[in-house]
Structures are given as structure tokens and as C-alpha cells.
Amino acid sequence: DQATAWSNIRGRRLRTHIKTLVMENLPKDPIMLMSFINMKLRDLYPSLEALCEDLDINRSELEEKLKTVGYEYDEANKRFW
């Protein structure tokens, strides 16, 4: 029905807005970025791939940025280490 359609549109807009805010406010410092990503992986996402897809983050760029300070993704433990 029309009410459900409007609710779905509002929900999509809100999710898009939240994703934009997250992307614009990702920590620039690699150490803080690692902490932020690990927290999101621990609390909200089943995998790094899911996080990157949901937040429109380029996974290889993220991994390269964190690698510059010595962190690599540990698939088994689902975190950068």
C-alpha cells in the first residue's frame, strides 16, 4: 500500500544519509581508523566484505592504508591486527 511504500522510501533515504555521514567522517588517522573498523566488525558486520559493501568503502584502499602502519586483516579473527 502507499503508506508502506513511503515508509520504505524514507527508510532508504535515512540509510543513505547515515552511510554518507559515516563515509565523510571516517577517521583520517590510520590508528583511529583501525579501531573504528574493528569496532564495526565486532558489533555490526559479519565480515570485512560486508562492511565495505554496506559503507561503500574500497576494501583494497582500506587494507593498503592500514598496512602503512603495520596492520593487516585477520580473516579468522575478523579484525585488523
Side-chain angles (χ1 to χ4, degrees), residues 3-78:
T4 302
W6 280 111
S7 178
N8 289 340
I9 290 169
R10 282 194 302 270
R12 281 194 303 270
R13 286 182 181 163
L14 179 60
R15 283 190 298 279
T16 299
H17 180 68
I18 290 170
K19 286 179 188 180
T20 300
L21 286 174
V22 168
M23 286 303 300
E24 290 174 353
N25 294 298
L26 277 177
K28 305 299 182 233
D29 176 75
I31 307 281
M32 295 299 294
L33 178 61
M34 181 270 305
S35 179
F36 175 84
I37 296 294
N38 281 345
M39 178 192 67
K40 293 292 185 188
L41 286 168
R42 181 192 69 223
D43 296 345
L44 300 173
Y45 293 96
S47 67
L48 180 59
E49 192 64 39
L51 179 145
C52 290
E53 183 177 318
D54 188 49
L55 298 179
D56 293 324
I57 296 173
N58 182 305
R59 180 178 174 159
S60 59
E61 288 178 13
L62 173 66
E63 289 186 284
E64 279 302 313
K65 184 169 188 170
L66 293 178
K67 197 174 196 175
T68 64
V69 290
Y71 293 108
E72 293 189 10
Y73 186 62
D74 178 353
E75 196 85 37
N77 291 306
K78 201 175 80 168

